[in-house]
Amino acid sequence: TLPTGRVLDDRTLGVFRGTECLHLKRVSIRSCRLSADAFRKALCSHRLKELDASRLRGDITVSDILQGLSSNQQCRQSLQRLTLTGLDLLSSSSDPSLSFSSLRALRSLGVAWTQLDDSGLEDICSLPMLDSLDISGTAVTDLTPLLNLKTHLYSLTAHGLHPLDMSTASLLSILSNLEQLRHLDISNDRLDTDSEIPLLERPQILPALESLDVSGWSGVSDAVLKPFLEARRGMRFLGLLATGAGASDFLSGEGNLKVAGEFNLTQLCEALRRYREREVLLQRALLHLHNLTNQLDIGSQPDVLKLVCAGMQTHSGSVGVQLVSTACVFNLTNLELAVSMPLRLLGNVVQQLITTMKNFPNHEQIQKNCLLALCSDHILQTVPFNRSVAAKQVMTCLSLYEDQTLQRMSVAVVSLLVSKLSVEEIGHLGAEEFIIKQLLSIVQQRASVGAVDSTLKFALSALWNLTDETPKACRIFLQNQGLELYTELLETYFFDSSVQQKVLGLLNNMAEVEDLREWLMEEDLLKYILALLHSPVVEVGVSYFAGGVLANLTSSRRPEWRLDAELRNTILNKLHSSVISWTPPDHEMVSYRSFQPFYPLLDCSQPSGVQLWALWGIQLVVRTLLENEGGLHKLRDLISDPSIHTDVHSLALNILCLVETQQNCR
């Protein structure tokens, strides 16, 4: 089997031109983009037994392939299986004569969804060894040529033959003469018709039948099926989707007889598997699956989810399939159902959801379905997928809709996704101005009505994370009046410590960027932040981030302090006294991607309040990061300096002892 998709093209196919060392027997080039010339030069010199050239892209046609294969006498004698699904028959440059008859060894031929007509079928039916034929979706109007194959045709797939122009009596007469037929697919994808097929009422015909697909036909009932099956004890498959039949126990699909239907999960799984390529029938099966999962608790079903995802991938451009399948994905992964699913499967599902969101940006319900499925802590935090791409796509969705439910889900998903990104990924995402602007717009909307809800808080969290160690994002924030908005939020939401902490967290990210500190050098703003730092009624998280802003602005780094010197002294004194009074919370208050922003504040030349704040922050997460960040030498330098304040010395020594104790324990 050759690699397909983007890997195989005219250039890479050239590898197989030589037959001295390479002897290809079975070749699959499905969905590749190839030219007729490249196909002929690379593959037609081999003694092929099987070739699957379905849905090739480019200028290659059925005629080109037949001419190429027929040019090699050995290939004419060896080729047994040929599949040409979905190809054009002829091109303007093709030989107008179309002949399969030279491939005398063919046993299996698939020409579904081509423009094959009656003359083409006559040509095919002259093949002496052909025992399996797929003519689904073609332009054939008369099946009479099949009688030439009556002694050896055992498999006939002929679903979707809409141009067929035969009386029921003629059709049944032809089928009754195909005595060796073991597989017959005459399913119908025109589900809005009342067409009936009386085949099942003739239990005497087709005695060797083992597989029959009549999905989509009306007039089928369990009562009619029972004697039909009793006359054929060897039946192994029945396609009954959209027929109304299949409710009886003998059609459950649990035993040797597999049934594609809609009355239980087993039947639906068989339908999803069998009809993956058939959009209309697949959509009908997904609709029944959605109804079933709405009504019953079927538990964790990874195999079912895998089938749904496969259907989504096959019909990525179908609104109907994507609408129903995304709803099924939500039902199959909702609440705790996702926890027991294989992570790789969930990763594939998430990637498909993101693709669906990208393909249907203007379909609000599809966007909602995808977001509902993504709104899972387990999926967003544990499952492997490209979170940066996902976050960008969700933000694109958010920019297109004003629906509050969709808005709430979008910001929740983005907030959780962004919190899991690396510094590099944050840098790329934070540089997207439309993302920062959209999140600021959400914050402005919620704040204008005084809302204190999850939408506001998730938007604030996302902005906080996007500006973490990302100067460009901080600049975009400032250029879009973010500082003015956040200054108002500090005063408006004085009663909500969660909002204040997120606001101060972002301002702290700004304060870490030397070039942006000038923006924060506003006396009224700093006095308000100082009040939060030293207030006995605010939570330690609020005081901590207030301290971070002030520590960076009063440090000995650029730019020089340009406000009142007394204010700076007051800030430094209160920063020192506040830090040594804090008690670390018993829960995680903040997570850091690295300790790099702290290290400049640990220089021996820094004021003690600045050093203390940095040390207290490091202490919060020291157990997992410090020894991997090269920060130990900074601590040792600080401790060995006789000029540092005793409080700084004491806290630095405690942290160092903590790390060394951990190392000794290991």
Side-chain angles (χ1 to χ4, degrees):
T1 299
L2 303 185
T4 58
R6 300 177 185 174
V7 178
L8 194 64
D9 54 24
D10 283 4
R11 182 180 60 84
T12 54
L13 191 65
V15 173
F16 302 97
R17 287 189 179 185
T19 57
E20 295 81 5
C21 299
L22 291 171
H23 302 283
L24 296 177
K25 301 294 185 184
R26 297 173 178 84
V27 172
S28 175
I29 50 176
R30 293 172 65 94
S31 303
C32 295
R33 182 173 294 278
L34 300 174
S35 67
D37 186 58
F39 170 81
R40 179 178 55 80
K41 290 179 179 178
L43 299 180
C44 293
S45 57
H46 294 273
R47 189 182 177 90
L48 299 178
K49 287 187 176 182
E50 299 180 11
L51 172 63
D52 185 349
S54 300
R55 297 185 174 85
L56 287 181
R57 296 170 293 165
D59 62 356
I60 191 167
T61 65
V62 171
S63 177
D64 295 326
I65 291 175
L66 292 179
Q67 290 178 37
L69 295 173
S70 300
S71 66
N72 179 358
Q73 182 178 359
Q74 289 185 326
C75 196
R76 291 201 303 268
Q77 297 171 349
S78 65
L79 191 66
Q80 298 178 13
R81 300 177 62 86
L82 177 61
T83 308
L84 303 170
T85 301
L87 295 186
D88 290 333
L89 285 183
L90 303 169
S91 66
S92 57
S93 59
S94 298
D95 186 335
S97 61
L98 183 71
S99 177
F100 292 87
S101 56
S102 63
L103 303 175
R104 308 297 287 175
L106 269 186
R107 301 180 65 90
S108 175
L109 176 62
V111 287
W113 309 108
T114 66
Q115 298 89 19
L116 184 80
D117 57 15
D118 293 344
S119 62
L121 181 61
E122 282 192 43
D123 177 52
I124 288 170
C125 291
S126 68
L127 293 169
M129 303 181 68
L130 192 68
D131 55 30
S132 179
L133 178 61
D134 185 352
I135 53 173
S136 303
T138 61
V140 169
T141 66
D142 187 352
L143 297 182
T144 303
L146 293 176
L147 294 174
N148 293 329
L149 306 174
K150 65 180 181 179
T151 60
H152 51 276
L153 186 67
Y154 78 83
S155 176
L156 175 62
T157 304
H159 67 84
L161 284 185
H162 303 146
L164 199 62
D165 185 18
M166 300 179 68
S167 67
T168 300
S170 298
L171 177 61
L172 290 178
S173 174
I174 291 171
L175 293 177
S176 65
N177 278 280
L178 302 177
E179 296 180 354
Q180 302 303 315
L181 208 60
R182 297 198 291 273
H183 165 76
L184 176 61
D185 181 351
I186 48 174
S187 54
N188 173 27
D189 60 2
R190 289 186 172 178
L191 305 184
D192 56 347
T193 68
D194 294 324
S195 302
E196 297 185 10
I197 184 163
L199 172 67
L200 298 171
E201 299 172 1
R202 308 284 184 89
Q204 72 278 9
I205 69 172
L206 302 178
L209 208 60
E210 297 176 3
S211 169
L212 175 64
D213 197 334
V214 291
S215 288
W217 291 100
S218 59
V220 181
S221 68
D222 293 10
V224 171
L225 283 167
K226 193 165 186 179
F228 187 86
L229 293 174
E230 287 174 347
R232 296 165 181 78
R233 297 294 182 178
M235 285 289 290
R236 292 293 177 263
F237 171 72
L238 263 177
L240 300 176
L241 185 69
T243 63
S248 300
D249 290 342
F250 71 91
L251 296 172
S252 68
E254 299 287 351
N256 292 331
L257 179 63
K258 303 301 178 185
V259 176
E262 57 201 47
F263 284 93
N264 59 47
L265 188 59
T266 302
Q267 290 182 357
L268 286 170
C269 286
E270 192 68 28
L272 292 173
R273 191 177 298 110
R274 296 262 180 172
Y275 303 137
R276 175 179 172 179
E277 302 286 340
R278 307 187 196 180
E279 180 180 343
V280 175
L281 293 181
L282 177 68
Q283 186 176 337
R284 175 61 69 95
L286 287 166
L287 181 60
H288 284 287
L289 176 64
H290 179 251
N291 293 336
L292 179 69
T293 52
N294 273 342
Q295 297 164 8
L296 299 176
D297 180 7
I298 62 173
S300 180
Q301 298 286 343
D303 291 340
V304 180
L305 182 62
K306 187 175 182 180
L307 289 171
V308 173
C309 186
M312 294 177 70
Q313 292 169 342
T314 302
H315 300 279
S316 58
S318 168
V319 174
V321 170
Q322 298 301 319
L323 180 62
V324 185
S325 59
T326 51
C328 288
V329 168
F330 171 67
N331 284 355
L332 292 168
T333 59
N334 193 20
L335 301 176
E336 300 302 318
L337 293 177
V339 176
S340 57
M341 296 278 189
L343 292 180
R344 185 174 181 180
L345 169 61
L346 287 175
N348 291 338
V349 170
V350 171
Q351 292 296 154
Q352 184 57 46
L353 289 173
I354 299 305
T355 299
T356 298
M357 293 183 73
K358 182 179 180 180
N359 290 345
F360 298 94
N362 299 317
H363 198 295
E364 186 171 342
Q365 190 57 54
I366 286 180
Q367 299 291 320
K368 283 185 177 179
N369 289 351
C370 293
L371 289 170
L372 280 168
L374 290 173
C375 280
S376 161
D377 285 347
H378 175 70
I379 288 176
L380 294 177
Q381 297 183 25
T382 309
V383 174
F385 63 95
N386 192 323
R387 286 171 170 77
S388 180
V389 170
K392 187 173 180 179
Q393 185 57 51
V394 174
M395 283 305 307
T396 301
C397 166
L398 182 59
S399 67
L400 295 175
Y401 296 97
E402 296 182 358
D403 178 83
Q404 290 196 2
T405 300
L406 194 147
Q407 189 181 83
R408 182 174 64 252
M409 291 190 294
S410 296
V411 293
V413 169
V414 168
S415 180
L416 288 172
L417 288 174
V418 170
S419 69
K420 293 294 180 179
L421 299 182
S422 66
V423 173
E424 182 179 5
E425 289 172 324
I426 286 288
H428 290 304
L429 202 61
E432 297 281 354
E433 185 170 5
F434 88 94
I435 294 178
I436 304 295
K437 290 178 68 173
Q438 187 62 38
L439 289 170
L440 282 173
S441 176
I442 297 295
V443 172
Q444 177 68 63
Q445 291 172 19
R446 306 312 296 154
S448 65
V449 295
V452 184
D453 55 17
S454 60
T455 302
L456 172 67
K457 293 184 178 181
F458 277 128
L460 290 172
S461 294
L463 283 165
W464 183 6
N465 278 302
L466 285 170
T467 54
D468 185 21
E469 298 188 47
T470 312
K472 187 168 184 178
C474 292
R475 290 188 180 90
I476 294 173
F477 173 86
L478 289 170
Q479 291 163 2
N480 287 278
Q481 292 73 51
L483 182 58
E484 293 85 346
L485 174 60
Y486 270 46
T487 301
E488 293 178 11
L489 293 178
L490 279 178
E491 298 179 2
T492 306
Y493 289 91
F494 66 90
F495 56 88
D496 192 298
S497 59
S498 175
V499 172
Q500 287 189 318
Q501 182 171 316
K502 298 176 193 302
V503 170
L504 289 167
L506 187 146
L507 296 182
N508 182 60
N509 290 341
M510 282 182 52
E512 291 171 0
V513 184
E514 290 185 355
D515 294 344
L516 302 181
R517 288 184 186 141
E518 290 282 358
W519 292 74
L520 296 170
M521 290 286 190
E522 296 291 338
E523 188 169 329
D524 290 341
L525 174 61
L526 296 188
K527 285 182 177 179
Y528 191 86
I529 295 176
L530 179 60
L532 294 175
L533 165 73
H534 209 57
S535 173
V537 297
V538 302
E539 295 184 5
V540 66
V542 175
S543 296
Y544 170 74
F545 287 108
V549 176
L550 298 173
N552 278 286
L553 294 180
T554 55
S555 68
S556 57
R557 300 161 66 193
R558 280 194 320 113
E560 294 184 4
W561 182 264
R562 61 177 177 78
L563 301 177
D564 181 59
E566 186 59 33
L567 176 59
R568 182 174 186 272
N569 292 333
T570 301
I571 289 173
L572 289 173
N573 290 333
K574 290 190 175 181
L575 188 58
H576 185 124
S577 61
S578 296
V579 173
I580 61 175
S581 70
W582 293 340
T583 301
D586 55 5
H587 59 277
E588 184 180 66
M589 192 176 74
V590 62
S591 61
Y592 287 99
R593 293 180 174 85
S594 77
F595 280 149
Q596 293 302 322
F598 289 112
Y599 295 154
L601 305 181
L602 294 177
D603 288 341
C604 297
S605 61
Q606 295 286 14
S608 63
V610 173
Q611 294 169 332
L612 279 171
W613 180 84
L615 286 170
W616 202 89
I618 291 174
Q619 183 181 235
L620 285 176
V621 284
V622 67
R623 293 180 183 274
T624 55
L625 288 178
L626 184 61
E627 51 191 319
N628 296 323
E629 289 284 338
L632 289 176
H633 72 278
K634 279 283 187 182
L635 285 178
R636 293 192 176 101
D637 289 346
L638 206 59
I639 292 169
S640 63
D641 192 316
S643 65
I644 67 167
H645 195 281
T646 55
D647 290 331
V648 175
H649 182 278
S650 176
L651 187 51
L653 186 60
N654 286 341
I655 294 174
L656 184 61
C657 289
L658 176 62
V659 175
E660 290 178 344
T661 300
Q662 287 183 314
Q663 291 173 333
N664 292 334
C665 288
R666 282 197 287 271

